[in-house]
Amino acid sequence: MHDFLANNHDELIARCIEKVSRRPKRNATPKQLKNGIPRFLGQLTRTLEAEQDGDAGAGLKISGASGGDGAALSEMGVSAAAHGTDLLNLGYTVDQVVHDYGDLCQAITDLAFERDAPFSVDEFRTLNRCLDNAIADAVTEFSFQRDSAIALQQSADLNERLGFLMHELRNSLNSATLAVTAIESGTMTMAGATGSVLKRSHVAMGRLIDRSLDEVRIKGTPQEPHQVFPLAPFIAEARDAAELDAKTRGCTFTVTEVDPSLGIQGNRDLLLAALANLLHNAFKFTHSHTEVTLNAYAQGDRIVIVVKDHCGGLPPGDPEQMFTPFTQRGEDKTGLGLGLSIARRSVEADGGMLSVANFPDTGCAFTISLPRRSLQ
């Protein structure tokens, strides 16, 4: 059999590639050709040759004992494990790992029948042993790497969810703290706008905690009911909370009047949190004694909300990286780097878009665009 395999090496590989190409979403790749079936075929040929020459030990060193017994992977096992990893990285499934070796077995059998090349029972046993060991090692490594990747992703997802909760809780707590400070100074009362900010902050914290508890109970994020609500009071609520932040930061905060007939639809709490994140970000980075503006208006069938600051412009690099979780591009590293990522996710969940425009040496503008809705 080893002479047959050596003499028909190219033909067997070509047949395997042709079989692979017929399967959905599969093509022979450079990685597959390097660590996959061609290398296995060479190792199988050498194993058969060693055993025919009476050197069983050399054959076992190349391909391993029956059932995969042995303290370490054989040469064939190492290559098979690499092949399994390659297929995982290429996005294939575990059944395709098995199919690759099955294709070679079928190609050998078919070509031997066509060429009327008889093989001994011992040679077939060696072929089956090599196939079994290679498949087992490839699948084992494929499964290990896949499970490790899944575990890593689950850990990253959990970390991001915890970061979201902590970030939003801290924002609400910060608003509540600023309101309490203003009230304690004697200049504000609980009956006024500052008292309303304090109450809304406590309500927001309660909702965040309740939502997190619901997620723990059902192992998934509950879908909040989407509602159509007026834009003007939504902007006013964001303004009231942001004014306290503006005073603390020592900057001017200007909000233009909003058309009372305009409406938007979505999860009001999450959209409000998204806008609060943009405003907090603007106050955090705008230069001292400069202005932050908040504008909201209709533009065709869209509602546009723009937060503009005077931060001096964005740092060099791709602005889109600012929306990557845990990314902090400014000198102030007091946050978690989640605000913009959370804001974009909340806006996009309601069919909107969040973008940033850079004005070098001046500042930047973050724009929320949402579908316009009628209040009737």
Side-chain angles (χ1 to χ4, degrees):
M1 182 186 283
H2 66 85
D3 287 334
F4 173 83
L5 297 180
N7 293 334
N8 294 283
H9 179 276
D10 293 343
E11 173 69 15
L12 291 170
I13 295 303
R15 292 192 179 204
C16 287
I17 293 175
E18 194 274 332
K19 290 177 182 294
V20 167
S21 67
R22 291 203 301 262
R23 293 203 293 271
K25 299 181 180 180
R26 278 298 305 274
N27 287 300
T29 67
K31 285 187 176 181
Q32 180 183 356
L33 292 176
K34 177 182 178 181
N35 287 323
I37 298 307
R39 182 169 294 180
F40 170 81
L41 181 57
Q43 292 162 342
L44 172 62
T45 303
R46 288 165 49 217
T47 298
L48 289 164
E49 186 175 11
E51 293 187 354
Q52 182 170 331
D53 291 341
D55 193 350
L60 293 177
K61 185 177 180 180
I62 297 169
S63 58
S66 179
D69 295 335
L73 283 179
S74 63
E75 179 185 329
M76 184 178 288
V78 172
S79 298
H83 184 50
T85 300
D86 285 344
L87 292 187
L88 174 65
N89 294 334
L90 291 167
Y92 300 143
T93 60
V94 68
D95 66 298
Q96 290 170 321
V97 178
V98 178
H99 283 158
D100 274 5
Y101 293 98
D103 287 341
L104 177 60
C105 183
Q106 185 176 354
I108 293 173
T109 303
D110 291 346
L111 188 58
F113 178 79
E114 294 171 13
R115 303 282 172 85
D116 192 22
F119 302 138
S120 69
V121 173
D122 287 340
E123 286 176 322
F124 269 113
R125 286 175 179 169
T126 299
L127 171 61
N128 288 330
R129 186 190 83 226
C130 290
L131 286 169
D132 287 344
N133 288 347
I135 290 172
D137 290 329
V139 169
T140 297
E141 186 64 18
F142 179 97
S143 301
F144 173 78
Q145 296 293 343
R146 180 196 57 195
D147 293 346
S148 296
I150 291 173
L152 186 63
Q153 183 60 50
Q154 289 175 339
S155 177
D157 291 343
L158 176 60
N159 192 40
E160 188 172 340
R161 289 198 299 272
L162 288 173
F164 170 88
L165 175 62
M166 295 302 102
H167 186 279
E168 296 304 283
L169 280 174
R170 189 177 66 174
N171 280 354
S172 295
L173 179 60
N174 181 61
S175 295
T177 300
L178 291 175
V180 168
T181 301
I183 292 171
E184 287 179 339
S185 69
T187 59
M188 305 291 178
T189 67
M190 280 295 297
T194 304
S196 296
V197 170
L198 178 60
K199 293 175 184 177
R200 286 196 296 266
S201 297
H202 284 133
V203 170
M205 285 188 281
R207 287 176 176 170
L208 281 168
I209 293 171
D210 289 342
R211 188 181 303 123
S212 297
L213 291 174
D214 287 341
E215 185 175 353
V216 170
R217 292 189 186 101
I218 66 175
K219 298 182 179 180
T221 304
Q223 295 296 318
E224 300 286 346
H226 287 196
Q227 55 181 315
V228 176
F229 53 89
L231 179 64
F234 173 80
I235 296 297
E237 187 171 336
R239 177 202 63 206
D240 291 343
E243 282 179 341
L244 296 172
D245 206 355
K247 291 178 181 178
T248 302
R249 302 278 181 173
C251 62
T252 303
F253 181 40
T254 303
V255 183
T256 57
E257 186 175 351
V258 181
D259 185 342
S261 68
L262 299 178
I264 53 178
Q265 183 178 15
N267 186 317
R268 193 178 189 278
D269 291 338
L270 292 183
L271 288 176
L272 186 61
L275 179 54
N277 275 322
L278 297 183
L279 289 167
H280 177 73
N281 197 65
F283 296 132
K284 181 177 179 179
F285 293 106
T286 200
H287 293 162
S288 181
H289 307 299
T290 60
E291 183 183 38
V292 171
T293 61
L294 171 59
N295 299 309
Y297 52 90
Q299 192 174 70
D301 61 352
R302 309 288 291 184
I303 295 295
V304 179
I305 304 172
V306 183
V307 176
K308 190 172 183 179
D309 62 36
H310 287 77
C311 64
L314 298 178
D318 183 3
E320 284 297 305
Q321 292 182 359
M322 301 175 67
F323 298 100
T324 302
F326 303 106
T327 297
Q328 295 176 301
R329 301 190 65 187
E331 295 181 358
D332 190 335
K333 305 295 185 181
T334 56
L336 295 174
L338 283 171
L340 294 179
S341 172
I342 293 171
R344 171 171 278 186
R345 183 179 302 179
S346 299
V347 171
E348 290 180 347
D350 287 313
M353 296 177 291
L354 172 57
S355 59
V356 61
N358 184 34
F359 302 96
D361 301 321
T362 302
C364 62
F366 287 89
T367 300
I368 295 175
S369 173
L370 290 162
R372 181 177 178 177
R373 295 288 183 260
S374 172
L375 294 178
Q376 301 298 326

